[in-house]
Structure formats: C-alpha cells, structure tokens
Amino acid sequence: MSDKTYDTLPDDFFFGAAMSGPQTEGMWQAHGKLENMWDLWSNEDIRAFHNRVGSYAGNDMGARYAEDFKILHELGLSSLRTSLQWSRLLDANGKLNREGADFYHRYLAAAKEEGIEVFVNLYHFDMPGYLFRRGGWESREVVEAYAQYARTAFEEFGQEVVHWFTFNEPIVEPEQRYEHGNWYPFVHDYQRARNVQYGISLAHALATGAFRELQAAGVVRPDAKIGLINCFTPPYTREDPTPADLEAVRMTDGIHNRWWLDLVTKGSLPTDVIDTLAERGITLPVRAGDKEILALGKVDWLGFNYYQPTRVQAPAQDTDEFGNPCFAEPYAWPHAVMNESRGWEIYPKGIYDFAMTMTRDYPDLEWFVSENGIGIEEHNATRDEDGCIEDASYRVPFVRDHLRWVARAIAEGAKCRGYHYWGVIDCWSWNNAYKNRYGFVEVNLQDNYNRHLKESADWLRRVASSHVIAEK
Ligand code: BGP
C-alpha cells in the first residue's frame, strides 16, 4: 500500500451481512418447501458433505431470524442480503405457495423492526429439483419458469423490498456443475457449461425486464433497484507475460467478468469472447428473439463478491482429458499468501484493482462489496476461558486490509457504496458444510445451533458504527 493509510469510509457507506436462503433457513420441508438441488444431492449422497452435514438445517435462521436480526443490529449493521428460495416461494405448478410467501413476509417484517434492510436476491445456486430434472438452465422452459418466479416475487414483495438481485455468482453453476464437475450433477462438458451460462443470462434479462415492467405499473416501489452479484475477480498473470498468457487473461476475464458486465451495462454479450468460442467449436444455442431478450438485462447497480484473485497463464494443452478446449490454466504466484483452510489466496489489493477497473470502464455504475470474508477451519479455533472463539488475530486483519483498499478506491473516485461481510453469523457452506467458519458470530452445532459472539465481534461493531477502520 502507499505511505498513506486510508482508514475512514464515507458517512453514507453501509455495512451489512451477506448470507443466502439455502445456507441459513433450514426448515427444508416446512411451509410446503420443495426439494432444491442441495436437498437432492444431500439425499442422494450425504457422504459428499463435510461431516455428513447436508442442506437440511441451514444455520437454523428460519427459526431464529428475530434473534439474528437483533444480533446484526447490535453489531452496528444496517442491511442483510439473503435470497428467497424458489423452492419455498412457488409450488410444483409454479404458483405462489402462500405458506412460503407468508414466511418471507414475517421474515422481512422482523428485519424491519430491528432496522435491518433486507436486500433480496432471487437465486443462489438453488434450483428446485423438479426443474433440474426437466433440463435445468439448458432448458428454455426452465428459463421461462425462472422469469415467472421472479415476476411472482416482485408482485408479492414489490412494496416491501427496495434492493433486488437476479442472481448471485451466475458463473459458479456453469463452472462447478458443468465444467469442473465438482458439484452435482458432476459434468465435464465445456459446451454444456456455456449453454447453462447462456440460459442464466437469458433468465437474468427476462427477470430484469419483468422488474422494469412491474415498476412502471406501480407494483414494484418507485425507489426499488435491481442488480446482479458476481465474483468479478480480476484475472492476473505472471509479471513477464507471453502473448499466450495475455490471451489466457482475455478469455478468463471474458467468460468470468465481461460476459456479465456487458450483459448488465450494454444488454449484449462480448463479441470477442463469442468469436473465440466459435473458433474452438463452441456455439451458443441462440434463437430468434434472444437479442431483444438480452437487451432487457441492464441493471441499476452491481454487487462484487471478492475472496481471492484469479491468476492464470497460457494452458499447457489445447484440450483437457475430456476433450474440452482449454483457454487458461492456474498460475501459482510465488508470493501468494494463502488461507490454508479454504485454499484461497488472500490478496486485499484485488478489491482496489477491481474498483479502479470499474471506475475506468464503467464510470457511472454504482456497486458495493456484496461478499468478502475469511473461513477458517473450526477445529483450529482456540477459545478463551469464557469459551469465546479467539479469531481476532486473523479475521480483523483480513477485513481491515480489504476495507482500507476500499477506502482508498473511494478516495480515488470509485462508486462503491457499501460492504457486506459474508456469513457474519456462521452458515452452512455447501459441501464444505461447517468445515470453514466465516462468522463474527459462532453457531455452535454441539449446543443446538446457539449463537455466541466471537472475539472479533467487538471490532466489527466499532468499525461499522464509526466508519473508522480501526487497526485492531
Ligand atoms: C461465495 C458464495 C457463498 C459462500 C462463499 C464462501 O462464492 O456466494 O454462498 O458460500 O462463497 O465460500 P465457501 O462457502 O465455499 O467457503
């Protein structure tokens, strides 16, 4: 960092928490909730989940939300981004499930009582199982079902919710489920991954179109905004790159970032990326009328999830063992500082680099840090004599250093409006379940999911209340 330390954030900068419906709510069969992809995978193979903890319980927030909003309020936070679960809000005929909707009305009302504004995301990797069986994001019927779900949510909560998002990290399902085969249904097919990415893009655009229409009709509040959240991690390469390394950066940035950034700012997809894909035999399942649909995709602002930088270099091979084209491969930076629990590099300056790229390329677009955090293996945690988890030595520097880069970016003109910490209250992390803990607040599974403040909570409260980024 430069000599100057940037340690204050603007008065109107907001602090909040990020979580998601499937990782918190639990109550997986209450209110007529349908099975989602995580329930489906948990039911099929519980051994795939750390310590065999499946999707069923979330972090019990569905039962404890009133208590949790109080905790967030006491930590000085003013907002929470979570997601509605499609599988709870609609029934198997795609109609509103009144019991599920009433649950979310109670949830939103309880948050309001504690002064917590809920930012509502519509989709967090959690397709209802029956729609996955009908083809998931590769099926137009499912894309249209999503648009109908979004429309129903806008109609039902349009007067209550101000900040809406269509998707969280839309790049993750194409990659994790269809390209790298890490997540159910474990596919390794680059073409299908891009088909899924394209389907999600259409779904996003249709939902944004429905939002605009319903806002014009007065169903959605006039002050409501719609956005998209992605891990727009800036790709880096070696310090002395070859043209092939730079090409790897272009395509990684193209698929991960510019694809979505063009969609949400221009209403189209980046032609250089589409052309390169076509040269390698990958063509998108475009139909007549799609151009007009994608044109609906422009948003009001963005969320930026940031945990780690992407570092890539030219691939050693043209195709992988499954016959898929390779455009890049990971580059191991010799100076990387790692969070060993998660296997992710810690590189706070990446948040600034993204901010300055946005300021240069999309100067009018507002955004906020929609996720950032550090997950450390629970069994590494030490406790003081009162049983409080001593996490300040790693959690405080992590958040502090990221926030200082945010403060500097804002001082240099970045339109970053706020910061949401991922999992302020420990939550369930997909197939890692409760292996890595992100929270300032512990969820003790041995003690009936009871909440306990960790050592770092006091620091968060001071920073969120004063907007001064305290050293410790
Ligand atoms: C983001 C997801 C979150 C959350 C977070 C931490 O990519 O949007 O849902 O899980 O990563 O990652 P993990 O839970 O895998 O440690």
PDB file of all heavy atoms in Angstrom, residues 15 73-77 458-468:
ATOM      1  N   PHE A  15     -22.828  -0.781   6.026  1.00  0.00           N
ATOM      2  CA  PHE A  15     -22.229  -2.045   6.460  1.00  0.00           C
ATOM      3  C   PHE A  15     -23.339  -3.058   6.692  1.00  0.00           C
ATOM      4  O   PHE A  15     -24.353  -2.729   7.325  1.00  0.00           O
ATOM      5  CB  PHE A  15     -21.494  -1.870   7.789  1.00  0.00           C
ATOM      6  CG  PHE A  15     -20.154  -1.224   7.660  1.00  0.00           C
ATOM      7  CD1 PHE A  15     -20.025   0.156   7.764  1.00  0.00           C
ATOM      8  CD2 PHE A  15     -19.018  -1.993   7.441  1.00  0.00           C
ATOM      9  CE1 PHE A  15     -18.785   0.759   7.643  1.00  0.00           C
ATOM     10  CE2 PHE A  15     -17.777  -1.399   7.320  1.00  0.00           C
ATOM     11  CZ  PHE A  15     -17.656  -0.011   7.420  1.00  0.00           C
ATOM     12  N   HIS A  73     -28.176  -6.049  14.283  1.00  0.00           N
ATOM     13  CA  HIS A  73     -28.391  -4.654  14.701  1.00  0.00           C
ATOM     14  C   HIS A  73     -27.385  -4.269  15.785  1.00  0.00           C
ATOM     15  O   HIS A  73     -26.761  -3.202  15.734  1.00  0.00           O
ATOM     16  CB  HIS A  73     -29.826  -4.499  15.216  1.00  0.00           C
ATOM     17  CG  HIS A  73     -30.104  -3.140  15.758  1.00  0.00           C
ATOM     18  ND1 HIS A  73     -30.454  -2.089  14.946  1.00  0.00           N
ATOM     19  CD2 HIS A  73     -30.046  -2.645  17.021  1.00  0.00           C
ATOM     20  CE1 HIS A  73     -30.604  -0.999  15.695  1.00  0.00           C
ATOM     21  NE2 HIS A  73     -30.368  -1.317  16.958  1.00  0.00           N
ATOM     22  N   GLU A  74     -27.210  -5.147  16.751  1.00  0.00           N
ATOM     23  CA  GLU A  74     -26.274  -4.832  17.847  1.00  0.00           C
ATOM     24  C   GLU A  74     -24.826  -4.744  17.362  1.00  0.00           C
ATOM     25  O   GLU A  74     -23.992  -4.105  17.997  1.00  0.00           O
ATOM     26  CB  GLU A  74     -26.430  -5.849  18.988  1.00  0.00           C
ATOM     27  CG  GLU A  74     -27.661  -5.520  19.826  1.00  0.00           C
ATOM     28  CD  GLU A  74     -28.120  -6.651  20.732  1.00  0.00           C
ATOM     29  OE1 GLU A  74     -27.380  -7.656  20.842  1.00  0.00           O
ATOM     30  OE2 GLU A  74     -29.213  -6.518  21.310  1.00  0.00           O
ATOM     31  N   LEU A  75     -24.544  -5.378  16.239  1.00  0.00           N
ATOM     32  CA  LEU A  75     -23.185  -5.276  15.672  1.00  0.00           C
ATOM     33  C   LEU A  75     -23.023  -4.000  14.844  1.00  0.00           C
ATOM     34  O   LEU A  75     -21.971  -3.783  14.238  1.00  0.00           O
ATOM     35  CB  LEU A  75     -22.885  -6.504  14.802  1.00  0.00           C
ATOM     36  CG  LEU A  75     -22.674  -7.807  15.572  1.00  0.00           C
ATOM     37  CD1 LEU A  75     -22.544  -8.983  14.612  1.00  0.00           C
ATOM     38  CD2 LEU A  75     -21.448  -7.720  16.470  1.00  0.00           C
ATOM     39  N   GLY A  76     -24.058  -3.186  14.799  1.00  0.00           N
ATOM     40  CA  GLY A  76     -23.948  -1.907  14.083  1.00  0.00           C
ATOM     41  C   GLY A  76     -24.232  -2.027  12.592  1.00  0.00           C
ATOM     42  O   GLY A  76     -23.921  -1.112  11.833  1.00  0.00           O
ATOM     43  N   LEU A  77     -24.810  -3.149  12.169  1.00  0.00           N
ATOM     44  CA  LEU A  77     -25.059  -3.354  10.734  1.00  0.00           C
ATOM     45  C   LEU A  77     -26.468  -2.862  10.376  1.00  0.00           C
ATOM     46  O   LEU A  77     -27.375  -2.893  11.215  1.00  0.00           O
ATOM     47  CB  LEU A  77     -24.914  -4.838  10.388  1.00  0.00           C
ATOM     48  CG  LEU A  77     -23.579  -5.461  10.826  1.00  0.00           C
ATOM     49  CD1 LEU A  77     -23.531  -6.943  10.464  1.00  0.00           C
ATOM     50  CD2 LEU A  77     -22.391  -4.723  10.205  1.00  0.00           C
ATOM     51  N   ASP A 458     -16.453  -7.367  18.530  1.00  0.00           N
ATOM     52  CA  ASP A 458     -16.329  -6.018  19.077  1.00  0.00           C
ATOM     53  C   ASP A 458     -15.676  -5.074  18.060  1.00  0.00           C
ATOM     54  O   ASP A 458     -16.089  -3.924  17.911  1.00  0.00           O
ATOM     55  CB  ASP A 458     -15.491  -6.084  20.366  1.00  0.00           C
ATOM     56  CG  ASP A 458     -15.242  -4.707  20.916  1.00  0.00           C
ATOM     57  OD1 ASP A 458     -16.231  -4.026  21.225  1.00  0.00           O
ATOM     58  OD2 ASP A 458     -14.057  -4.296  21.004  1.00  0.00           O
ATOM     59  N   TRP A 459     -14.693  -5.576  17.339  1.00  0.00           N
ATOM     60  CA  TRP A 459     -14.029  -4.761  16.292  1.00  0.00           C
ATOM     61  C   TRP A 459     -15.029  -4.384  15.202  1.00  0.00           C
ATOM     62  O   TRP A 459     -15.115  -3.231  14.796  1.00  0.00           O
ATOM     63  CB  TRP A 459     -12.846  -5.548  15.703  1.00  0.00           C
ATOM     64  CG  TRP A 459     -12.113  -4.804  14.632  1.00  0.00           C
ATOM     65  CD1 TRP A 459     -11.089  -3.919  14.796  1.00  0.00           C
ATOM     66  CD2 TRP A 459     -12.363  -4.874  13.210  1.00  0.00           C
ATOM     67  NE1 TRP A 459     -10.679  -3.427  13.572  1.00  0.00           N
ATOM     68  CE2 TRP A 459     -11.440  -3.989  12.578  1.00  0.00           C
ATOM     69  CE3 TRP A 459     -13.258  -5.581  12.408  1.00  0.00           C
ATOM     70  CZ2 TRP A 459     -11.400  -3.812  11.188  1.00  0.00           C
ATOM     71  CZ3 TRP A 459     -13.227  -5.399  11.028  1.00  0.00           C
ATOM     72  CH2 TRP A 459     -12.291  -4.517  10.431  1.00  0.00           C
ATOM     73  N   LEU A 460     -15.802  -5.364  14.765  1.00  0.00           N
ATOM     74  CA  LEU A 460     -16.788  -5.093  13.708  1.00  0.00           C
ATOM     75  C   LEU A 460     -17.767  -4.010  14.165  1.00  0.00           C
ATOM     76  O   LEU A 460     -18.072  -3.077  13.423  1.00  0.00           O
ATOM     77  CB  LEU A 460     -17.553  -6.365  13.333  1.00  0.00           C
ATOM     78  CG  LEU A 460     -18.660  -6.171  12.297  1.00  0.00           C
ATOM     79  CD1 LEU A 460     -18.082  -5.753  10.947  1.00  0.00           C
ATOM     80  CD2 LEU A 460     -19.498  -7.436  12.118  1.00  0.00           C
ATOM     81  N   ARG A 461     -18.230  -4.136  15.399  1.00  0.00           N
ATOM     82  CA  ARG A 461     -19.204  -3.169  15.929  1.00  0.00           C
ATOM     83  C   ARG A 461     -18.597  -1.761  15.917  1.00  0.00           C
ATOM     84  O   ARG A 461     -19.229  -0.801  15.478  1.00  0.00           O
ATOM     85  CB  ARG A 461     -19.606  -3.559  17.351  1.00  0.00           C
ATOM     86  CG  ARG A 461     -20.684  -2.678  17.946  1.00  0.00           C
ATOM     87  CD  ARG A 461     -20.886  -2.896  19.428  1.00  0.00           C
ATOM     88  NE  ARG A 461     -21.375  -4.220  19.747  1.00  0.00           N
ATOM     89  CZ  ARG A 461     -20.704  -5.133  20.435  1.00  0.00           C
ATOM     90  NH1 ARG A 461     -19.470  -4.867  20.870  1.00  0.00           N
ATOM     91  NH2 ARG A 461     -21.220  -6.313  20.708  1.00  0.00           N
ATOM     92  N   ARG A 462     -17.353  -1.648  16.348  1.00  0.00           N
ATOM     93  CA  ARG A 462     -16.716  -0.321  16.396  1.00  0.00           C
ATOM     94  C   ARG A 462     -16.570   0.267  14.989  1.00  0.00           C
ATOM     95  O   ARG A 462     -16.857   1.435  14.759  1.00  0.00           O
ATOM     96  CB  ARG A 462     -15.345  -0.424  17.081  1.00  0.00           C
ATOM     97  CG  ARG A 462     -15.467  -0.489  18.601  1.00  0.00           C
ATOM     98  CD  ARG A 462     -14.101  -0.462  19.263  1.00  0.00           C
ATOM     99  NE  ARG A 462     -13.430  -1.754  19.207  1.00  0.00           N
ATOM    100  CZ  ARG A 462     -12.252  -1.979  18.642  1.00  0.00           C
ATOM    101  NH1 ARG A 462     -11.572  -0.997  18.068  1.00  0.00           N
ATOM    102  NH2 ARG A 462     -11.708  -3.188  18.657  1.00  0.00           N
ATOM    103  N   VAL A 463     -16.129  -0.558  14.053  1.00  0.00           N
ATOM    104  CA  VAL A 463     -15.900  -0.058  12.696  1.00  0.00           C
ATOM    105  C   VAL A 463     -17.223   0.307  12.022  1.00  0.00           C
ATOM    106  O   VAL A 463     -17.368   1.372  11.423  1.00  0.00           O
ATOM    107  CB  VAL A 463     -15.119  -1.093  11.866  1.00  0.00           C
ATOM    108  CG1 VAL A 463     -15.005  -0.648  10.412  1.00  0.00           C
ATOM    109  CG2 VAL A 463     -13.742  -1.316  12.467  1.00  0.00           C
ATOM    110  N   ALA A 464     -18.212  -0.596  12.145  1.00  0.00           N
ATOM    111  CA  ALA A 464     -19.495  -0.343  11.475  1.00  0.00           C
ATOM    112  C   ALA A 464     -20.190   0.883  12.074  1.00  0.00           C
ATOM    113  O   ALA A 464     -20.883   1.613  11.366  1.00  0.00           O
ATOM    114  CB  ALA A 464     -20.386  -1.571  11.594  1.00  0.00           C
ATOM    115  N   SER A 465     -19.995   1.138  13.361  1.00  0.00           N
ATOM    116  CA  SER A 465     -20.663   2.279  13.991  1.00  0.00           C
ATOM    117  C   SER A 465     -19.933   3.585  13.724  1.00  0.00           C
ATOM    118  O   SER A 465     -20.555   4.637  13.675  1.00  0.00           O
ATOM    119  CB  SER A 465     -20.787   2.088  15.507  1.00  0.00           C
ATOM    120  OG  SER A 465     -21.086   0.772  15.808  1.00  0.00           O
ATOM    121  N   SER A 466     -18.603   3.547  13.575  1.00  0.00           N
ATOM    122  CA  SER A 466     -17.844   4.800  13.459  1.00  0.00           C
ATOM    123  C   SER A 466     -17.396   5.101  12.031  1.00  0.00           C
ATOM    124  O   SER A 466     -17.028   6.225  11.725  1.00  0.00           O
ATOM    125  CB  SER A 466     -16.604   4.717  14.345  1.00  0.00           C
ATOM    126  OG  SER A 466     -15.717   3.729  13.802  1.00  0.00           O
ATOM    127  N   HIS A 467     -17.352   4.072  11.178  1.00  0.00           N
ATOM    128  CA  HIS A 467     -16.794   4.179   9.809  1.00  0.00           C
ATOM    129  C   HIS A 467     -15.303   4.457   9.820  1.00  0.00           C
ATOM    130  O   HIS A 467     -14.740   4.890   8.817  1.00  0.00           O
ATOM    131  CB  HIS A 467     -17.569   5.191   8.974  1.00  0.00           C
ATOM    132  CG  HIS A 467     -18.961   4.755   8.662  1.00  0.00           C
ATOM    133  ND1 HIS A 467     -19.660   5.197   7.568  1.00  0.00           N
ATOM    134  CD2 HIS A 467     -19.780   3.878   9.288  1.00  0.00           C
ATOM    135  CE1 HIS A 467     -20.856   4.630   7.556  1.00  0.00           C
ATOM    136  NE2 HIS A 467     -20.936   3.825   8.599  1.00  0.00           N
ATOM    137  N   VAL A 468     -14.695   4.248  10.967  1.00  0.00           N
ATOM    138  CA  VAL A 468     -13.237   4.353  11.057  1.00  0.00           C
ATOM    139  C   VAL A 468     -12.701   2.919  11.118  1.00  0.00           C
ATOM    140  O   VAL A 468     -13.138   2.107  11.937  1.00  0.00           O
ATOM    141  CB  VAL A 468     -12.797   5.131  12.318  1.00  0.00           C
ATOM    142  CG1 VAL A 468     -11.278   5.121  12.447  1.00  0.00           C
ATOM    143  CG2 VAL A 468     -13.332   6.554  12.267  1.00  0.00           C
TER     144      VAL A 468
END
